[in-house]
Amino acid sequence: MLSAPVVSAFNPPRRILMGPGPSDIYPEVLAAQSRPTVGHLDPLFIVMMDELKSLIQYAFQTENQMTIAVSAPGSAGMETCFVNLLEPGEKVIVCRNGVFGERMRQNVERIGGEAVVVDTPWGEPVNPDDVKAALQANPDAKFLAFVHAETSTGALSDAKTLCALAREHGCLSIVDAVTSLGGVELKVDEWGIDAIYSGSQKCLSCVPGLSPVSFSDAAVEKLTSRKTPVQSWFLDQSLVMGYWGGGNKRSYHHTAPVNTLYALHESLRKLADEGLEQAWQRHKEMHLLLKSGLERLGMQFVVAESARLPQLNAVYIPQGVDDGAVRKQLLEQYNLEIGAGLGALAGKAWRIGLMGYGARRENVALCLRALEEVLG
């Protein structure tokens, strides 16, 4: 028999999280997570779930009834959208301008679909003209999939225009809003987005582990008229909606992450209290403050200003600077985390996040002062 390991309680230091996520978490959200656990079919918890659904609808700006929080992180939200809507053999126009567009392509091919890839250079938004050409060349395509805010580069694509193109060509749109929700303008109903997913740990400043998703009526019709079963039992929304549906009677599907949902409820409640437009403006203002300081330090942005995400600032590492050594020094001496480059930008760029609760003047000031001192 194995002997019991001797392990002390884990007490992490207080970090300032200014990477690509997770972001700094509101103290009230951390406190909410520590409230007493109730059963996931408890009548009081069901009331909280209904409130949570309305809060997610507000954040997405949608009246979609099929709006829930998937009990898993944003990558599961991505898979939820693809696995529920796409059937083997169906064609998807996939826009790839970074790491997460590539993950969309992999989802399509794992399901047995056909991915027609529209490539855009890293650091640039998806080109609507290229998408239009791909849609015209593939009239049998069923879906258009793209990343609204590409976390690997900090580029913001024009979701409104891309979704309009999808509708013109009879396609349903699948949109990655993991980094955009709560940080930049996003209007699901007005822009005609059919399926969208996000994550709790970015601009919502909640704990990691949940993925808000929403499906339009057209997407629900596609789901309910499938000729083949959804390949994932856990992510099958036709089963999950029996738990998230309105009313007091809920069918058991899985044991929901009760305390994590408390946290999301609180983070979205804080977003509603601040107001979406005010939150978008705050992210923009903090970005401009950071931008000014980074440029004074001689930093160059990866993304052109017209397509730059305020909440994810990708900057090229100055020549001769040791990427890992700088980030290690920031973490050890300042308790400050910034992100490394990903994919094609690995070792070439830093990703500095200003997300949710982290988009504050004191964080910007600390980051700029620490970089100035470390870079000498």
Side-chain angles (χ1 to χ4, degrees):
M1 181 175 177
L2 288 174
S3 58
V6 179
V7 179
S8 301
F10 178 62
N11 290 295
R14 168 81 178 151
R15 304 286 199 203
I16 304 299
L17 301 178
M18 294 185 69
S23 65
D24 275 355
I25 297 172
Y26 288 105
E28 298 91 337
V29 171
L30 289 174
Q33 195 177 24
S34 68
R35 292 171 187 161
T37 303
V38 298
H40 63 105
L41 293 173
D42 187 296
L44 291 177
F45 186 67
I46 289 172
V47 171
M48 192 278 289
M49 286 175 63
D50 288 338
E51 292 177 349
L52 180 54
K53 179 175 179 176
S54 69
L55 288 165
I56 298 172
Q57 288 171 321
Y58 170 72
F60 276 135
Q61 286 294 282
T62 184
E63 295 180 358
N64 289 341
Q65 286 305 300
M66 199 173 203
T67 300
I68 70 167
V70 175
S71 299
S75 294
M78 176 188 293
E79 190 160 343
T80 295
C81 290
F82 282 98
V83 81
N84 278 275
L85 298 179
L86 180 63
E87 295 194 72
E90 291 184 331
K91 186 180 288 187
V92 186
I93 307 296
V94 178
C95 304
R96 182 171 60 184
N97 64 333
V99 165
F100 296 96
E102 166 59 16
R103 288 193 184 178
M104 285 182 153
R105 184 197 65 79
Q106 292 181 24
N107 268 265
V108 170
E109 295 193 348
R110 284 174 180 264
I111 294 167
E114 180 183 352
V116 176
V117 178
V118 176
D119 272 319
T120 304
W122 282 51
E124 295 182 14
V126 174
N127 187 327
D129 290 337
D130 293 342
V131 172
K132 183 176 181 179
L135 288 165
Q136 290 173 338
N138 295 274
D140 56 337
K142 301 286 188 183
F143 304 93
L144 171 66
F146 65 90
V147 179
H148 185 210
E150 178 52 75
T151 316
S152 61
T153 67
L156 177 68
S157 291
D158 186 348
K160 183 177 181 180
T161 296
L162 294 172
C163 289
L165 283 170
R167 288 196 307 277
E168 289 171 17
H169 291 82
C171 288
L172 295 178
S173 53
I174 301 176
V175 179
D176 180 321
V178 170
T179 298
S180 57
L181 183 64
V184 290
E185 183 180 27
L186 175 60
K187 297 179 178 179
V188 168
D189 287 357
E190 184 178 321
W191 296 352
I193 296 173
D194 290 299
I196 190 165
Y197 58 91
S198 189
S200 54
Q201 78 280 16
K202 306 278 188 171
C203 293
L204 301 184
S205 282
C206 183
V207 295
L210 293 171
S211 178
V213 301
S214 187
F215 290 76
S216 70
D217 289 345
V220 172
E221 183 178 352
K222 178 69 170 70
L223 165 60
T224 56
S225 62
R226 291 177 61 98
K227 297 179 178 62
T228 58
V230 173
Q231 291 165 306
S232 168
W233 179 89
F234 181 70
L235 298 177
D236 184 344
Q237 294 304 284
S238 65
L239 302 176
V240 176
M241 282 307 292
Y243 180 61
W244 275 91
N248 292 324
K249 188 174 182 180
R250 306 291 172 102
S251 61
Y252 168 73
H253 180 261
H254 66 278
T255 301
V258 172
N259 292 64
T260 311
L261 289 168
Y262 293 168
L264 183 61
H265 180 277
E266 182 64 18
S267 72
L268 287 169
R269 194 185 67 79
K270 291 189 70 63
L271 177 62
D273 283 349
E274 180 178 10
L276 269 176
E277 292 183 345
Q278 289 76 15
W280 299 337
Q281 182 63 27
R282 173 169 55 85
H283 283 86
K284 181 179 179 180
E285 289 173 357
M286 293 304 100
H287 159 73
L288 292 174
L289 196 62
L290 179 67
K291 169 182 174 288
S292 176
L294 291 174
E295 289 177 342
R296 283 197 302 272
L297 293 174
M299 302 276 192
Q300 294 183 327
F301 280 81
V302 172
V303 180
E305 192 164 356
S306 60
R308 196 176 293 163
L309 281 172
Q311 65 268 46
L312 197 287
N313 299 265
V315 291
Y316 288 110
I317 299 169
Q319 193 169 6
V321 170
D322 186 322
D323 170 26
V326 168
R327 288 187 290 105
K328 183 173 184 287
Q329 196 172 348
L330 291 175
L331 196 66
E332 291 179 351
Q333 295 183 10
Y334 300 89
N335 270 325
L336 173 65
E337 178 183 279
I338 65 171
L342 200 59
L345 293 176
K348 299 177 182 178
W350 289 319
R351 292 178 296 155
I352 303 175
L354 286 172
M355 299 181 185
Y357 182 57
R360 310 196 310 279
R361 286 184 178 273
E362 55 264 44
N363 280 9
V364 174
L366 169 65
C367 181
L368 292 173
R369 185 177 73 252
L371 280 172
E372 183 176 16
E373 292 176 1
V374 170
L375 295 174

